[in-house]
Amino acid sequence: MKVTIDLPERDYSGHPGYEPDGALASNAPCAGCGEELYGLAVRMLPFGWLHAEREEDAEGKTCQEAAVEKILADPRTGWLAVAAHVAKAPSAHSAATIRAVITNLTAMANGATR
Ligand SMILES: [Zn+2]
């Protein structure tokens, strides 16, 4: 089963440390590496705002990619993360996604593993 979630995003390009409206950022460093947010950032539960864009000279995964890997390492963690997004904004998700979340959480609550 594949679930796609649109994550809230902010673009800090050109103004690291500042919100897109020009206000000083609310002191939220990247939830992955603890550094200041720059470029494209996405909010992924249960972590928070994460770097979603690699700095030009950087190698490896973005903080978002690392967070996705962490979540997908355990199906329970994955479904709980998806459930957190669905609970926060139910109308932003398809009926199929909501059904999958409820089905899997119910199975987890019943002690089944998927
Ligand atoms: Zn980061």
Side-chain angles (χ1 to χ4, degrees):
M1 160 110 211
K2 183 176 178 176
V3 172
T4 304
I5 293 181
D6 287 322
L7 300 174
E9 52 181 61
R10 284 182 183 169
D11 189 356
Y12 291 91
S13 301
H15 40 79
Y18 290 84
E19 304 290 354
D21 65 3
L24 198 62
S26 46
N27 282 333
C30 173
C33 65
E35 300 289 319
E36 189 175 73
L37 292 171
Y38 53 79
L40 183 67
V42 295
R43 193 179 68 209
M44 198 170 112
L45 300 172
F47 303 105
W49 289 97
L50 296 161
H51 290 119
E53 193 176 313
R54 206 169 277 106
E55 273 185 303
E56 265 178 39
D57 55 347
E59 290 175 16
K61 301 178 196 85
T62 64
C63 296
Q64 183 203 359
E65 289 164 345
V68 168
E69 264 185 22
K70 205 181 211 177
I71 280 177
L72 294 182
D74 174 17
R76 294 174 59 92
T77 312
W79 283 113
L80 288 171
V82 175
H85 282 277
V86 169
K88 193 149 188 155
S91 60
H93 301 279
S94 70
T97 298
I98 294 170
R99 187 174 57 228
V101 165
I102 293 171
T103 302
N104 282 278
L105 292 189
T106 303
M108 282 162 51
N110 287 331
T113 49
R114 286 184 167 235

